[in-house]
Structures are given as structure tokens and as C-alpha cells.
Amino acid sequence: AQSVTQLDSQVPVFEEAPVELRCNYSSSVSVYLFWYVQYPNQGLQLLLKYLSGSTLVESINGFEAEFNKSQTSFHLRKPSVHISDTAEYFCAVVRSGGYQKVTFGTGTKLQVIP
Amino acid sequence: DTGVSQNPRHKITKRGQNVTFRCDPISEHNRLYWYRQTLGQGPEFLTYFQNEAQLEKSRLLSDRFSAERPKGSFSTLEIQRTEQGDSAMYLCASSLGPALETQYFGPGTRLLVL
């Protein structure tokens, strides 16, 4: 079975400051890794995903995440946040080669302070 | 592409009543998933369909819960004899193809059992 740990339930950060949202996973098999974002009163949306290849993946709105197999981590970073980034972010894992039972972390609420 | 839709968006019911939720996936997606999200937690997998076949059910899905996807298009999730612990957001997602493919989430149905 897979599991995901997001240790930070809330992360406040000033606008234009950098941010890192931490995600660690546990799995005995290879996995795919995802970050989903949930804006207030909206459904979950895929932010970025790691399937294979380059360990650094990027989203269209400036977020990036790096897959680190040795540390079993997939931390999400952004060098300069905007007010519009205020949302809840969920890290998720799927067992590769199987169907798509997604295991989510408990989420991190990013609050961007003007 | 109108996205995944769910109805109703909100449901308040009394303990012991039955409720049914509907999910309409993106039209060409053959895979459909149900998740439950409680306050402060990430979404938890409930069940999964490939076309009309229900391929896996979580242990979270007690015998009071039943899901169907009769024609491989829309799906319904029924909860019989609701309990206060059933209060949660029920999320539906759909995808096209295997584990590499992104799951697209609907806005969810928020259930409150009084």
C-alpha cells in the first residue's frame, strides 16, 4: 500500500516570497506522483505530475516539484507567490503499472498574505 | 468538454434516510472514481469503474453504500440509512485510459446528515 505525508497543515507566506510545501511518500513499488490544488469553492485540479524521466516537473503557473527517490519526497516550490495562489494543495501517489487508485495526503493550506 | 458534473451540489438529510448522488463524467472517459473527503483530510478512495464494471471497492464502502454505472456513462452513489458519520464531501472523478492519465474531478456533493 502507498501512503502520503504532508506534515504542514497550514503555511502562511507573504506575497512575492518563496514557498515550499512538503510531501513525503511511502511505497514498496514504483509510483507516479501528483500535486492537486483546490481553490476556495472549486473542485480539485491537477497542478503537475511526475511519471518518469526528468525529476523536475513544472506547472504552467510557476510551481515546480522535484522527485527525490532516495528521500521519497516530492516537495512543491514556487519562487514568488501571488495572492491568487491561496488554496489547499494535495500531494498524491498512484502505484505505477496499476489502475488509478489515488492516495492523497491530508493537504496543506497555503495562505498568501498581502 | 463540459467537465465532470455532480448533482446535487448540497444535500441535507436526517439520520436514517437514503440519499443518492449522481456523477456525469467527461463524455469519452471510460474510468470513473468516487472519493470521500472529510474536513481536514484529503480525498479517500471509495470505488472505481471501468466502463460499467465496478473493479474495486474500498473497505470504507460499507454495505450501506452502493455505486452503479449501468451504461458506462453516468454513475450513482447511494447511501442507505445515513449516519452522522457519513457527513462529508463526495467527489467524483473520471479519466481516459490507464494510470498515466490525469483524473478530472467534479465539484463534489456536500452531504450533511442531521
Side-chain angles (χ1 to χ4, degrees):
Chain A
Q2 294 76 46
S3 67
V4 178
T5 302
Q6 293 181 252
L7 288 174
D8 304 309
S9 60
Q10 294 189 34
V11 173
V13 62
F14 285 109
E15 193 175 15
E16 298 183 0
V19 70
E20 178 179 83
L21 306 183
R22 296 181 294 167
C23 171
N24 288 88
Y25 70 94
S26 173
S27 177
S28 57
V29 297
S30 296
V31 295
Y32 302 133
L33 292 155
F34 304 80
W35 276 99
Y36 280 85
V37 59
Q38 190 170 29
Y39 297 104
N41 300 314
Q42 295 187 29
L44 283 163
Q45 302 174 33
L46 180 68
L47 187 61
L48 47 76
K49 60 184 177 182
Y50 170 77
L51 305 178
S52 64
S54 172
T55 57
L56 185 65
V57 290
E58 299 177 352
S59 73
I60 59 173
N61 58 350
F63 283 93
E64 64 179 29
E66 186 162 19
F67 170 57
N68 188 319
K69 188 174 182 179
S70 62
Q71 297 186 4
T72 61
S73 67
F74 191 55
H75 301 330
L76 182 69
R77 301 183 182 96
K78 188 170 185 180
S80 175
V81 294
H82 302 288
I83 293 290
S84 60
D85 294 324
T86 295
E88 190 159 17
Y89 293 80
F90 292 93
C91 183
V93 62
V94 173
R95 180 171 59 96
S96 63
Y99 69 90
Q100 289 174 279
K101 176 182 174 180
V102 182
T103 300
F104 287 88
T106 52
T108 298
K109 290 182 180 177
L110 174 63
Q111 183 181 3
V112 180
I113 304 164
Chain B
D1 178 2
T2 58
V4 178
S5 62
Q6 293 185 247
N7 289 288
R9 294 291 307 277
H10 303 91
K11 179 71 176 179
I12 300 174
T13 191
K14 293 182 179 179
R15 188 176 54 185
Q17 297 295 306
N18 299 343
V19 294
T20 300
F21 309 141
R22 176 177 169 127
C23 171
D24 287 89
I26 295 172
S27 58
E28 65 269 25
H29 286 186
N30 60 353
R31 299 186 180 212
L32 186 147
Y33 312 81
W34 285 99
Y35 294 86
R36 181 173 68 186
Q37 186 177 16
T38 53
L39 203 60
Q41 299 296 317
E44 297 172 292
F45 171 81
L46 292 179
T47 190
Y48 150 70
F49 290 85
Q50 181 169 325
N51 299 314
E52 65 276 8
Q54 187 174 19
L55 298 187
E56 182 161 340
K57 292 167 56 174
S58 163
R59 281 172 289 181
L60 292 173
L61 215 64
S62 75
D63 56 4
R64 296 185 297 106
F65 288 71
S66 62
E68 294 182 343
R69 195 183 182 198
K71 297 182 179 179
S73 56
F74 73 91
S75 175
T76 57
L77 177 68
E78 181 182 16
I79 309 175
Q80 295 182 329
R81 305 181 304 282
T82 52
E83 301 173 357
Q84 289 185 327
D86 297 331
S87 296
M89 177 76 86
Y90 290 84
L91 299 170
C92 176
S94 70
S95 71
L96 177 65
L100 294 177
E101 296 296 328
T102 299
Q103 291 188 21
Y104 293 85
F105 283 81
T109 295
R110 185 172 295 281
L111 173 65
L112 176 61
V113 181
L114 301 177

